[in-house]
């Protein structure tokens, strides 16, 4: 493992922990995201890894070397880690080239600018090397900040909401470019974001954080399609939740008829099914135990449609492709296409 974060704890005020037992590891050339709502402790975790913040307990190791523990604290500039901050933090009075050359203190002076230019070219900014940050767009500043972070060839780069200042179109293209630059350079990265789509499309694995704790770690597909908790299910997109009391069963009886579960369950359970794992049909023939529903709202989004359906006194959200056309007040039946995922019932 390249980076190991072992049960770190951090409080700023006595008895109010903001990071509680956070543990994860990052492999070589892996992009890892810390995803969670504002204030859940993502940035504090990143700042502990960077060394800008000391921890109260736990350990941070890079390449088996302890960087932070109760007794050890290696200074940020000595950790061999690159950082890209939300506001890019470029020196305003320096050119793009000088910003990148600034950190190359391991190279002899005459080589610094040559190498800095090479890295700027790699991030597509070679032609802008003489411009100051004020003469660059947000996306261009972002790429200079990335060039500055990767120029000393760190094994690990920390990215704190680096795309949040860019507009939607630029955010997507810059994100793809940054991902491919990191992958080509063989670097690992930890990205902090509150944007689900960003984490799902940028990271190889995601840790979903809530209230200072990690609730689930997994690939984007795992955390999206197999959420472990109610929080993860709801934070990663819209979902339909069902509660039931079951006796070693692999399906539950709902307004939609018999709903299959992804595993055998016992006791009081909550399960989740994503809107795209439901579909709607005209109520023809036998309903097989499902109740008729009424379309109460429709959101047309071009490539797909979201329907809000009332059925048996409950509301369900259904995403269909744009060929399944119904109007508000139409009678429908809602059909599950996949089993519902049983959640850990601790919250
Ligand atoms: P955001 O997405 O809004 O940046 P976050 O998940 O990154 O949120 P943190 O910045 O880690 O969250 O903050 C976690 C909690 O710690 C918040 O309640 C915040 O107010 C508190 N906090 C962060 N830094 C300090 C500090 N230096 N002193 C006191 N409290 C702090």
């Amino acid at each position: 493992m390249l980076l190991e974060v072992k049960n770190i704890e951090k409080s700023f005020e006595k008895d109010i922990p903001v990071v509680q037992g956070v543990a994860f590891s990052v492999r070589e050339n892996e992009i890892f995201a810390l995803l969670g709502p504002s204030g859940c402790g993502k940035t504090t975790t990143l700042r502990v890894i960077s060394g800008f913040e000391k921890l109260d307990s736990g350990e941070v190791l890079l390449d088996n070397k302890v960087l932070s523990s109760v007794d050890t604290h290696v200074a940020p500039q000595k950790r061999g880690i690159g950082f890209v901050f939300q506001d890019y933090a470029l020196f305003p009075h320096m050119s793009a080239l000088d910003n990148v050359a600034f950190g190359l203190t391991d190279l002899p002076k005459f080589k610094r600018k040559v190498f800095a230019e090479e890295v700027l070219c790699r991030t597509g900014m070679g032609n802008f090397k003489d411009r100051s940050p004020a003469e660059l767009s947000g996306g261009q500043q972002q790429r200079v900040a990335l060039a500055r972070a990767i120029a000393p060839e760190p094994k690990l780069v920390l990215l704190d909401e680096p795309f949040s200042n860019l507009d939607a179109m630029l955010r997507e293209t810059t994100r793809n470019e940054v991902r491919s630059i990191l992958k080509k350079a063989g670097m690992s990265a930890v990205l902090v974001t509150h944007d689900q789509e960003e984490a799902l499309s940028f990271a190889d694995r995601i840790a979903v954080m809530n209230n200072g704790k990690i609730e689930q770690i997994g690939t984007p597909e795992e955390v999206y399609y197999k959420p472990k908790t109610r929080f993860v299910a709801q934070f990663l997109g819209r979902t339909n939740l069902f509660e039931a009391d079951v006796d070693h069963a692999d399906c539950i009886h709902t307004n939609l008829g018999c709903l299959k579960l992804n595993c055998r369950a016992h006791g009081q359970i909550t399960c989740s099914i994503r809107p795209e794992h439901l579909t709607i049909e005209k109520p023809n023939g036998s309903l097989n135990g499902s109740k008729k529903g009424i379309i109460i709202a429709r959101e047309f989004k071009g490539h797909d449609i979201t329907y809000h359906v009332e059925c048996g006194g409950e509301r369900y959200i259904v995403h269909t492709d744009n060929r399944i056309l119904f109007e508000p007040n139409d009678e429908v039946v809602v059909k599950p296409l996949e089993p519902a995922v049983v959640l850990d019932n601790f919250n």
Side-chain angles (χ1 to χ4, degrees):
M1 278 301 163
L2 178 70
L3 173 72
E4 287 171 86
V5 175
K6 296 186 176 174
N7 292 321
I8 57 172
E9 307 267 339
K10 176 74 190 170
S11 307
F12 293 102
E13 292 165 55
K14 201 171 175 294
D15 299 332
I16 310 180
V18 296
V19 176
Q20 305 179 60
V22 163
F24 61 89
S25 37
V26 180
R27 295 186 272 262
E28 303 251 351
N29 205 205
E30 183 179 36
I31 298 181
F32 191 88
L34 288 173
L35 170 69
S38 183
C40 74
K42 311 175 294 286
T43 297
T44 305
T45 304
L46 205 72
R47 286 174 63 78
V48 167
I49 300 169
S50 68
F52 288 116
E53 213 67 76
K54 289 191 173 167
L55 46 68
D56 299 336
S57 67
E59 275 187 328
V60 176
L61 289 87
L62 188 69
D63 256 346
N64 295 319
K65 184 182 167 220
V66 177
L67 297 182
S68 293
S69 71
V70 178
D71 318 306
T72 315
H73 185 80
V74 176
Q77 66 278 15
K78 300 211 166 134
R79 293 191 170 213
I81 295 177
F83 317 109
V84 180
F85 301 100
Q86 192 173 349
D87 60 359
Y88 317 132
L90 295 173
F91 300 117
H93 57 287
M94 285 187 192
S95 67
L97 187 71
D98 288 338
N99 261 285
V100 179
F102 183 79
L104 298 174
T105 46
D106 285 349
L107 288 181
K109 262 197 172 157
F110 71 96
K111 281 194 181 165
R112 288 180 198 168
K113 288 205 178 182
V114 178
F115 188 64
E117 187 168 348
E118 231 178 274
V119 183
L120 275 175
C121 289
R122 248 191 277 157
T123 62
M125 290 300 293
N127 292 336
F128 299 86
K129 65 180 168 51
D130 297 320
R131 297 223 191 147
S132 71
E135 294 164 332
L136 296 170
S137 73
Q140 291 165 340
Q141 288 182 52
Q142 205 281 336
R143 277 187 270 171
V144 175
L146 181 74
R148 187 176 64 175
I150 66 173
E153 301 184 327
K155 286 193 165 176
L156 177 68
V157 181
L158 305 179
L159 306 159
D160 190 358
E161 306 257 11
F163 312 113
S164 57
N165 287 337
L166 309 178
D167 68 47
M169 279 283 279
L170 194 57
R171 198 179 310 152
E172 207 174 308
T173 46
T174 314
R175 200 156 73 197
N176 292 340
E177 283 167 12
V178 170
R179 185 178 156 82
S180 103
I181 289 166
L182 290 168
K183 288 287 178 190
K184 268 193 206 143
M187 290 175 192
S188 302
V190 179
L191 167 81
V192 155
T193 181
H194 61 265
D195 180 332
Q196 299 84 341
E197 190 194 313
E198 186 161 294
L200 292 170
S201 61
F202 189 77
D204 300 316
R205 280 188 310 142
I206 299 172
V208 185
M209 280 187 80
N210 183 27
N211 278 331
K213 294 183 180 164
I214 291 179
E215 296 222 350
Q216 185 172 1
I217 298 179
T219 62
E221 291 79 7
E222 280 165 355
V223 293
Y224 185 78
Y225 282 120
K226 292 204 173 130
K228 277 198 171 153
T229 66
R230 181 185 280 257
F231 174 80
V232 175
Q234 290 181 316
F235 190 71
L236 274 150
R238 286 168 155 180
T239 199
N240 297 285
L241 295 176
F242 297 83
E243 314 245 331
D245 199 356
V246 290
D247 183 13
H248 300 284
D250 57 8
C251 77
I252 55 173
H253 296 287
T254 70
N255 293 327
L256 317 184
C258 173
L259 178 60
K260 276 206 166 125
L261 304 177
N262 69 328
C263 60
R264 195 162 270 275
H266 183 67
Q268 186 66 39
I269 62 161
T270 305
C271 56
S272 153
I273 187 163
R274 293 277 177 218
E276 62 272 32
H277 285 168
L278 296 175
T279 192
I280 46 177
E281 292 175 2
K282 270 192 186 160
N284 286 332
S286 160
L287 295 179
N288 273 336
S290 59
K291 294 180 181 160
K292 279 185 196 167
I294 296 277
I295 306 273
I296 49 172
R298 186 176 94 134
E299 298 163 26
F300 178 70
K301 294 175 183 154
H303 54 293
D304 58 28
I305 305 177
T306 301
Y307 289 100
H308 297 256
V309 182
E310 197 167 279
C311 179
E314 301 283 341
R315 283 192 179 196
Y316 301 95
I317 305 171
V318 184
H319 287 177
T320 70
D321 71 48
N322 58 13
R323 288 167 300 180
I324 297 184
L325 283 173
F326 287 94
E327 297 293 332
N329 297 321
D330 279 354
E331 255 190 1
V332 290
V333 284
V334 179
K335 295 210 163 161
L337 298 170
E338 297 288 334
V341 176
V342 179
L343 306 177
D344 289 349
N345 228 355
F346 57 78
N347 56 358

